[in-house]
Structure formats: structure tokens, C-alpha cells
Amino acid sequence: MFVPIHELSNDLNIAILVPNLTASEHATLLCPQTFQATDFAQFDAVFVGGLDCSNTKELTDYCASYGTPLIKITHPSNDTSVIQNVILNIVAKLYSHEMPSNIDLADIINLNNEADTLCCFDSFQAAVTFLNTVNNAIVSNGLYLASPHLDLETFTKHSQQLSAYIADSGYLCASLFSSRNAKSSVLIGLKVK
């Protein structure tokens, strides 16, 4: 039997900036009013959602000046509770040692870089309902963190359904995650036609 010599360390350093978010087990929380005083070079990525345009533009400039990836996540109705839950679930998955361990920060950065917008949903059905209404954008890629309470057949069916909306050149990253709120998380990358 293989026994690792040492546990792999998880050296991620992620920041989150979402209004009214008060706690994160893994990430550094940034405040919309004071993020300008932050050294963004220390972060591997900054996840942001639910901000007004002026804060987002300023944050984009700060992250660009430090070379730090900015992952901007939206929701069709700007529901910050959904944005919070999805970001917290994604970040927790990145820090977890839960199997399958098939998603890392590079996947999220690639999703972000290949899309004009990342829309999030806290259920499979909400994502499908939204995808059925998309007609002015191409679905470039996606991420599906399913609740481990799903059986394999349902997980596979959901993954295939989401993949059917994605452009031929795109992809879906799918995994299971025991989230703190027992909900699935879906991230959809959109490119304007």
C-alpha cells in the first residue's frame, strides 16, 4: 500500500470581496470601503461579486497592477446570498482534501479568462432555467459542484445536461463537494455573441 511521506500543503491564499460577507473559513475577506490598502500581490486570486460598477473597476485596476487574477462572479438578479454561497463553496472545495480532488484554482482562472461573464447558481435547476433563456451569448464553459447526496446516475445526467449547453470548444468541470449548505453550485461562463 502506498503511504505518502508527507501531506501535501495547501499554499493557496485567496481573498473574497462580497458585500455583507462576514466569515470565511479559508479566505481573507476584503472590505469594499478599504480594499485599496491591501497588498494584492499576496493573493493567488481575488473572488468578487455583488459590487457596484465603480468598485469593480477600481478593484480590476488594483488586481491588474499586482498581476493577481480577479474572478468576477455575478447572478442574473444580483442575489448576493447566492453569490456568497457559490463563492464560499468554490473556495472551500479548492482548500478541501475531499475526493474527488479534480478541481483547482487554475481551472477557475481558465473559466474566468475564457468568459466575458461568470454567472452563478445555487442549484442545478436554477442554472438550467437560466440556460434555457440565454440567446445573446455563447456558453463558453462551466463548473458544477454537486452535492454528494446525489447518486452517480443523477450526477452524470446533470453533468451531461449542463454540457449540452456549452459550446463545442468549451468544457464543464464537474465534481462532488460536501458544502456547508448542502446545495449544489454552478458557475456558467458566457461570451457575448
Side-chain angles (χ1 to χ4, degrees):
M1 183 168 132
F2 173 76
V3 179
I5 295 172
H6 58 81
E7 188 70 29
L8 292 174
S9 66
N10 199 341
D11 293 336
L12 284 178
N13 191 4
I14 294 175
I16 300 174
L17 201 162
V18 177
N20 303 317
L21 183 60
T22 57
S24 170
E25 184 179 338
H26 305 288
T28 301
L29 298 182
L30 301 177
C31 175
Q33 292 78 23
T34 60
F35 71 82
Q36 298 86 346
T38 304
D39 175 13
F40 285 92
Q42 68 182 309
F43 299 119
D44 297 305
V46 176
F47 285 76
V48 63
L51 296 180
D52 63 42
C53 291
S54 63
N55 277 350
T56 302
K57 169 71 172 113
E58 192 174 4
L59 185 59
T60 301
D61 294 342
Y62 272 91
C63 284
S65 71
Y66 286 95
T68 303
L70 179 65
I71 315 295
K72 292 185 268 187
I73 296 179
T74 64
H75 181 268
S77 63
N78 203 29
D79 185 334
T80 55
S81 67
V82 172
I83 294 169
Q84 285 179 6
N85 285 333
V86 170
I87 288 175
L88 289 173
N89 284 346
I90 291 169
V91 169
K93 175 66 176 178
L94 294 174
Y95 277 93
S96 80
H97 296 288
E98 183 177 283
M99 296 304 285
S101 181
N102 60 337
I103 294 176
D104 66 18
L105 184 57
D107 296 313
I108 308 303
I109 291 170
N110 285 337
L111 291 173
N112 186 62
N113 290 343
E114 295 170 10
D116 296 325
T117 303
L118 292 176
C119 287
C120 69
F121 304 91
D122 61 0
S123 76
F124 165 79
Q125 193 54 52
V128 169
T129 300
F130 171 78
L131 287 167
N132 284 326
T133 66
V134 172
N135 56 14
N136 61 346
I138 296 168
V139 180
S140 59
N141 47 46
L143 169 74
Y144 178 41
L145 292 181
S147 165
H149 304 295
L150 289 180
D151 59 69
L152 181 58
E153 183 179 329
T154 304
F155 172 71
T156 302
K157 180 181 171 187
H158 286 183
S159 296
Q160 290 170 341
Q161 284 179 282
L162 290 171
S163 292
Y165 290 97
I166 296 173
D168 291 340
S169 60
Y171 54 91
L172 176 72
C173 298
S175 191
L176 299 172
F177 181 59
S178 301
S179 71
R180 59 187 178 73
N181 60 16
K183 291 186 175 184
S184 295
S185 293
V186 181
L187 201 56
I188 300 296
L190 299 173
K191 268 192 133 10
V192 177
K193 286 184 182 178

